[in-house]
Amino acid sequence: MILFILSFTLYIIALIFFAWHAFVTQEVFWQILFALLTVSGVFVLCKTTWTFFTSILSRMRFVSTLKRLARKKYTSVELNILHHPLLSFFKTYPGSDLILKVNEKNYHIKFFPHFIKKSIVHIVDEKTAIFSKQWALVSRHIKFAPNQVLYGQDIPVRPPSEELMDHQKRILLQFEKDACDKVILISPRCYQMTCVKNNGRDIIDNGYVWNKDITFWYQKAFLNRL
């Protein structure tokens, strides 16, 4: 949040500075700079707004699907909404968001907090995660050698980093003490989610069990499983 406020403040200052110079000097150079800065700002704003809008729409469609299943008489599905489905986008808190009863299963579902679409998320622990953006795409056809020989020694080679602007965020992946069948729902899908595993990191995918009793699911796969 601090980084966002700082970036936004610097953008406004630069925009005012270029606008003032373009108005006072009437020079084409300053007018072009002002136009470019304005267009880039509008583009970023539209892109961010679209990401937020599609994330909210995806979440609401998921909850609507669960409600339809619960209303059908021939299904043994019961849905109990504990928190508003959109609350986790804006606030972190302990406890489940939904309790879904399917046959003999009682799923305590918690939405992963924050807007995570188009982000790379690394879970450090149940209260902390690191968010980053993907800035480069590496072709799947490009192969990286496991090592290279330099002065007679094998030197490990790593592919170029695809992450930028790492920032730490607070999360609370905590459930009630009496919760069973705990599910963290990744809604909507992000680029990638990983977690700390010993001295490395594990990639989190559908059905991944974390902390022995919490299972991660992407919302579409979870619906297919139901």
Side-chain angles (χ1 to χ4, degrees):
M1 181 59 71
I2 295 177
L3 181 62
F4 171 79
I5 295 174
L6 179 61
S7 301
F8 181 75
T9 303
L10 291 175
Y11 171 78
I12 295 298
I13 292 173
L15 188 65
I16 294 173
F17 176 78
F18 290 153
W20 181 81
H21 272 272
F23 177 77
V24 172
T25 64
Q26 295 295 316
E27 293 182 2
V28 176
F29 173 76
W30 292 108
Q31 292 174 351
I32 292 175
L33 285 181
F34 172 70
L36 289 176
L37 192 64
T38 302
V39 170
S40 62
V42 171
F43 173 76
V44 171
L45 177 62
C46 292
K47 186 178 180 181
T48 302
T49 303
W50 179 252
T51 299
F52 288 173
F53 174 75
T54 53
S55 298
I56 291 172
L57 182 61
S58 177
R59 176 77 57 83
M60 295 306 296
R61 288 173 59 186
F62 171 79
V63 175
S64 295
T65 302
L66 293 183
K67 288 180 179 179
R68 285 199 303 270
L69 290 175
R71 285 197 299 264
K72 293 184 182 296
K73 295 181 179 180
Y74 60 84
T75 60
S76 55
V77 177
E78 295 181 28
L79 178 64
N80 185 15
I81 300 177
L82 304 181
H83 296 108
H84 193 281
L86 303 184
L87 182 61
S88 64
F89 282 128
F90 308 99
K91 182 180 179 181
T92 56
Y93 48 86
S96 306
D97 292 305
L98 311 172
I99 297 180
L100 184 66
K101 297 181 180 180
V102 183
N103 297 326
E104 297 180 356
K105 287 280 190 178
N106 288 334
Y107 294 104
H108 284 69
I109 301 173
K110 183 177 182 64
F111 293 112
F112 195 91
H114 306 297
F115 288 94
I116 61 175
K117 188 177 182 180
K118 298 184 178 180
S119 294
I120 299 171
V121 182
H122 178 62
I123 301 172
V124 178
D125 53 45
E126 65 179 7
K127 295 183 179 180
T128 309
I130 298 173
F131 285 59
S132 56
K133 294 294 183 180
Q134 190 175 40
W135 67 273
L137 293 176
V138 180
S139 171
R140 66 181 63 182
H141 301 294
I142 299 177
K143 304 297 182 181
F144 296 93
N147 53 55
Q148 64 180 2
V149 178
L150 184 64
Y151 302 114
Q153 297 181 348
D154 287 341
I155 306 297
V157 175
R158 294 182 179 179
S161 175
E162 299 179 7
E163 300 175 19
L164 183 68
M165 294 179 63
D166 288 353
H167 56 285
Q168 184 173 296
K169 285 190 176 183
R170 174 180 169 82
I171 60 175
L172 281 175
L173 305 184
Q174 299 172 333
F175 289 83
E176 301 85 353
K177 292 183 179 180
D178 59 344
C180 54
D181 297 319
K182 303 173 186 176
V183 173
I184 298 291
L185 207 65
I186 307 171
S187 168
R189 173 177 287 273
C190 57
Y191 274 133
Q192 187 183 71
M193 184 171 289
T194 60
C195 65
V196 173
K197 180 70 171 182
N198 298 327
N199 293 327
R201 63 174 64 189
D202 267 3
I203 295 178
I204 293 177
D205 206 343
N206 293 309
Y208 183 87
V209 179
W210 181 71
N211 277 5
K212 298 181 180 180
D213 62 346
I214 297 176
T215 307
F216 280 80
W217 288 94
Y218 288 98
Q219 62 180 16
K220 185 176 180 180
F222 184 75
L223 284 176
N224 292 336
R225 186 173 187 269
L226 294 180

